[in-house]
Amino acid sequence: MIKRPFFVFKKPTLVYEDMNQGNYIPVVLPAPDNVTVYVKEKLVGIASEGTKPGDTVMEGDKLTISQESSIYATSPVSGEVKTVSAFPGDFGDDWTAITITPTAAEAEEDVAPEAPAKKEEAAEAEEAAEEAPEEEAPQGPDLAHLVEFLANVPGAPDFSVFQNPEKPVDTLIITGADEDLLCMTRQYVANSEVDNVRAGIKILKQATGIEKAILTLLRDAGQNYESVGAELAGVGMEYPTASPYLVVNDYLGRALLSDKPFEDSGITFMSIEAVAAIGKAITEGKIPTRKIVTVIDKNGKKTLVDVVLGTPISDVFAALRITAGERDRIINGGPMTGTALFSLDMPVTSSIDALMVQDSSNIPVVSDYPCIDCGDCCRVCPSKIQVNMLARVLESGDFELAADEYDLYSCIDCGLCGFVCTTQMPVFQYIKLAKYELARLEAEAADADSADEDAEAVAEENEAKK
Amino acid sequence: MSNNPKFIVSHAPFVHYGSSLQNKTYHTIFAALPAVIVGLLMWGVPAMAVIALSVGCSIIWEYIMNLILKRPQTVDDGNAALVGLLFAMLLPATVPWWLVVLGSAIAIIIGKMIFGGIGGNPFSPPLLAIAIIMVSWPHYLDFNVALTGYDFDFSMVYPLTAARSLGSTGAEAWSTLDLLLGKQSGGIGSTFSLGLILGGVYLILRGFIRWEIALSFIGGVAITALMFNMADPVRFAGPVFHVLTGYTLIGAFFLATDDASSPVSFLPMILYGIGGGFLTVLIRNIGTYYDGVVFAIILMNTASPLFGKIKPKAFGRVE
């Protein structure tokens, strides 16, 4: 990472990682001794319906915690379910963690991932893929099938955005450029899985009916992607040009505020890895269970690894001989926008693109010093926010004022303000906290409104009865 | 689960540019040293006493205020020492000790701590102290009276007094080179123009102060002085004289650029600097005080929040 130079003539320029600058070949890790997957649903009491400890599952099987729920996880291995337990996700989410111990045969076989999977092991996945073309449309599967089987492929596609009739989505932006520094996962997939991406885009366009697809690629790496069915958007090397907000601004000419999700404007994003996984699943008839992850060690050395979803982070680090000890920091994602993790037992999920380890001696201090108005943040801000004023307002907790007068929602969450801050204030944390709290208050207000409406409806009914 | 080490968990971003407040203040002190050292050589031990007392008192005042206000200690950030140093640089070498103690108290307590410490000060602290002393005990800051004990090979009349009473003829007593080399009467650290320029250029190149403010302030002084000079070349001295005398250079590089009391965007910074320069010459040429820098910058400090209202349109805003 760059440090303040001796002479400062301009604001700092951070550039994305360019894969072509080095020879990056993923290290293929064997299937681990146990895998953990998350079902994004709250576990009430003990697991009685759905998946239970002791169950035997096949690779690609659905794991659920209740019979009627449509929320599921996909088992990345065949084996025996060991535990089903509650897990606290980020930002107060309640999830359920399911741990599976693979059967020995599976573990051995997985050492060579290129080996063709046994038919019976991928039975359901293949069924899904084969059924669809026969029954529904001759060209490919429809959206329902994707939702039914491919919601947990690497890259974590969110199909629910295509199913919301109130907010129709007309533009799909496929992100082939990594959004954070040091990450190369999407870049690698964009370079190495051209055919699968091609197939995936075709399938997605057919299944969702979306005409306009945009594929973002770092710089102009688009030579492999001629007539791919998506417009190519070359993203600049300078951080944060790959930010979703800036991509929408640069290629669709729309500067969107961050107070509403992109879907409200008819735009949705999907990682190129998810698109490749969808293409691969349908062409090969098997749900992909391996993911590319960029691992950044304490010295900043980057390694690509190819792991089975659900592999504990400790296994990934052990394979790369990375030790993470007391007071070190483990980060899910890149250095600017990632989230810190608290346990090595956490698994590689379908949405983790990068894992970063920082040595305790390299962790910058966050201070409680006040803003001194040096203005470095204002000059570096890609959204031209007056961050010095915004930070003051947020520090005093006046989130509504920040949103109304000080451009809180112009923020595109790049984190550059915290990166340059002279007094090392947690500026970015204040901004995220304000956005989260405002969203929570809005949701509460909406709940209260609907509760009021319900009460009114009941009252009216009672009136009518009288 | 239990064999997991305890990791540091905090919010993004996880890397930092490496800039820090300590770095900034200590380098600003470093940049002021050329002017201070030449001042010490010129004015001798009394000047040394004033500087030491001012820096020491400022640190002690901040320490005491932090104790009283029950706030974490902040003296190690170097800002109190910097305020003390800048305040001493503005004083004549012969100023009585109690005025230094009082002045540093005004700078630290009224100028900074009662507003919540660094970052909250609406005025540049050393300037506020010097302004209050200028109004309350003007004879101690009258360089013509204070520095009579010194005998150098150049005119010991305060240049701005000479320019006021004799117009451009009075100003001709000093060559540009004399003014650059500090051969003029004035504050301990504000006479050696070359040193101040060196320090200022260093701070600008290192990115510790904004060139927009410093250069537009000097430009404002020069342009306004030039206009006066062109209107009446006999009564008013020229731009070079105004830039190299009094507090102009220390004001431009060290006082007007105080972070908290100056604006941050480009246009406001330029307006702030030019406005300060304009007022400076206005006060010098047709005002009551010989040197206008102090009140000009304090007036612009008060206007700084207004300049802050001129802001660029943020991303996605339609107005």
Side-chain angles (χ1 to χ4, degrees), chain A residues 66-361:
Chain A
S66 64
Q67 297 288 353
E68 62 270 20
S69 172
S70 62
I71 302 171
Y72 68 96
T74 309
S75 176
V77 291
S78 303
E80 192 192 339
V81 177
K82 283 289 171 195
T83 61
V84 177
S85 58
F87 177 81
D90 283 344
F91 290 107
D93 287 340
D94 284 310
W95 295 349
T96 305
I98 297 177
T99 309
I100 306 158
T101 306
T103 48
E106 169 72 19
E108 258 169 45
E109 192 205 334
D110 240 73
V111 175
E114 270 78 28
K118 281 182 200 164
K119 272 232 170 92
E120 55 271 29
E121 279 181 356
E124 195 166 346
E126 249 178 87
E127 236 173 71
E130 279 165 15
E131 245 175 53
E134 284 162 23
E135 284 181 14
E136 296 294 333
Q139 302 94 340
D142 68 1
L143 189 59
H145 280 89
L146 297 181
V147 176
E148 192 71 10
F149 295 102
L150 298 177
N152 296 301
V153 292
D158 183 4
F159 294 116
S160 64
V161 299
F162 304 112
Q163 295 172 309
N164 188 346
E166 284 170 20
K167 295 173 186 172
V169 168
D170 56 18
T171 309
L172 170 68
I173 301 183
I174 300 156
T175 52
D178 294 275
E179 279 162 34
D180 208 334
L181 302 166
L182 301 177
C183 305
M184 297 184 295
T185 302
R186 291 178 188 171
Q187 231 185 119
Y188 174 77
V189 174
N191 285 358
S192 63
E193 302 209 27
V194 180
D195 292 338
N196 288 333
V197 174
R198 242 170 231 282
I201 291 175
K202 200 173 161 205
I203 292 159
L204 273 171
K205 284 174 90 171
Q206 275 169 2
T208 59
I210 287 177
E211 291 294 321
K212 190 175 174 73
I214 296 177
L215 173 62
T216 69
L217 293 166
L218 202 59
R219 244 172 3 194
D220 32 28
Q223 63 272 32
N224 295 327
Y225 286 100
E226 277 154 17
S227 61
V228 72
E231 293 169 34
L232 298 182
V235 169
M237 289 303 284
E238 190 182 330
Y239 185 81
T241 41
S243 152
Y245 294 96
L246 294 187
V247 168
V248 169
N249 185 44
D250 293 350
Y251 295 98
L252 297 174
R254 296 163 72 182
L256 298 179
L257 293 177
S258 56
D259 56 343
K260 291 188 196 75
F262 286 106
E263 284 71 24
D264 285 18
S265 309
I267 301 165
T268 193
F269 285 83
M270 192 179 283
S271 161
I272 194 165
E273 201 174 16
V275 177
I278 291 166
K280 192 174 179 184
I282 303 303
T283 44
E284 292 183 6
K286 182 174 179 295
I287 299 177
T289 57
R290 281 184 165 267
K291 180 164 192 346
I292 303 289
V293 177
T294 313
V295 182
I296 303 139
D297 74 7
K298 288 179 179 179
N299 300 321
K301 183 172 168 276
K302 297 162 287 285
T303 316
L304 290 173
V305 291
D306 182 340
V307 291
V308 174
L309 288 173
T311 305
I313 291 170
S314 54
D315 283 21
V316 177
F317 287 172
L320 298 178
R321 298 207 181 89
I322 294 174
T323 50
E326 203 75 16
R327 303 185 74 78
D328 289 352
R329 184 155 60 191
I330 316 170
I331 298 152
N332 159 16
M336 300 301 280
T337 59
T339 48
L341 300 176
F342 56 86
S343 166
L344 284 174
D345 298 323
M346 290 166 115
V348 173
T349 65
S350 54
S351 58
I352 289 186
D353 275 354
L355 286 169
M356 184 169 166
V357 191
Q358 276 184 318
D359 192 74
S360 53
S361 61

Side-chain angles (χ1 to χ4, degrees), chain A residues 382-459:
Chain A
S383 304
K384 293 184 189 155
I385 298 171
Q386 287 214 302
V387 191
N388 60 330
M389 298 304 291
L390 178 65
R392 283 187 160 79
V393 174
L394 295 180
E395 225 175 0
S396 61
D398 205 340
F399 299 149
E400 268 119 4
L401 181 69
D404 295 341
E405 305 253 335
Y406 293 100
D407 306 321
L408 174 67
Y409 286 124
S410 294
C411 171
I412 60 165
D413 297 342
C414 69
L416 280 170
C417 45
F419 174 73
V420 298
C421 183
T422 303
T423 56
Q424 287 126 0
M425 276 174 84
V427 190
F428 188 32
Q429 184 171 4
Y430 284 137
I431 290 174
K432 292 290 265 193
L433 175 69
K435 285 183 177 176
Y436 174 74
E437 280 297 309
L438 286 173
R440 200 179 56 83
L441 289 174
E442 198 174 308
E444 268 175 21
D447 278 357
D449 275 358
S450 63
D452 281 354
E453 272 167 31
D454 287 353
E456 268 171 37
V458 172

Side-chain angles (χ1 to χ4, degrees), chain B residues 225-292:
Chain B
L226 182 69
M227 290 195 313
F228 270 102
N229 184 244
M230 278 159 65
D232 192 345
V234 181
R235 239 183 100 199
F236 302 113
V240 178
F241 178 81
H242 275 290
V243 168
L244 297 179
T245 53
Y247 295 148
T248 310
L249 289 173
I250 191 173
F253 291 121
F254 292 90
L255 301 172
T257 51
D258 174 65
D259 284 320
S261 50
S262 63
V264 295
S265 321
F266 180 75
L267 184 61
M269 281 195 287
I270 297 284
L271 291 176
Y272 168 88
I274 289 182
F278 174 71
L279 283 177
T280 298
V281 178
L282 221 56
I283 296 172
R284 279 180 182 181
N285 282 350
I286 53 175
T288 323
Y289 290 89
Y290 291 135
D291 198 351

Side-chain angles (χ1 to χ4, degrees), chain B residues 5-70:
Chain B
K6 284 186 183 63
F7 295 116
I8 300 273
V9 180
S10 58
H11 199 275
F14 302 107
V15 285
H16 195 268
Y17 196 29
S19 46
S20 76
L21 183 57
Q22 274 90 343
N23 203 9
K24 192 178 182 115
T25 48
Y26 290 136
H27 276 95
T28 313
I29 291 174
F30 175 72
L33 285 185
V36 171
I37 289 169
V38 171
L40 287 177
L41 293 176
M42 256 177 90
W43 310 107
V45 176
M48 173 73 97
V50 169
I51 290 178
L53 189 62
S54 177
V55 172
C57 284
S58 297
I59 295 174
I60 294 172
W61 287 124
E62 180 155 322
Y63 188 83
I64 293 174
M65 281 308 283
N66 277 327
L67 287 184
I68 294 173
L69 298 172
K70 298 191 176 69

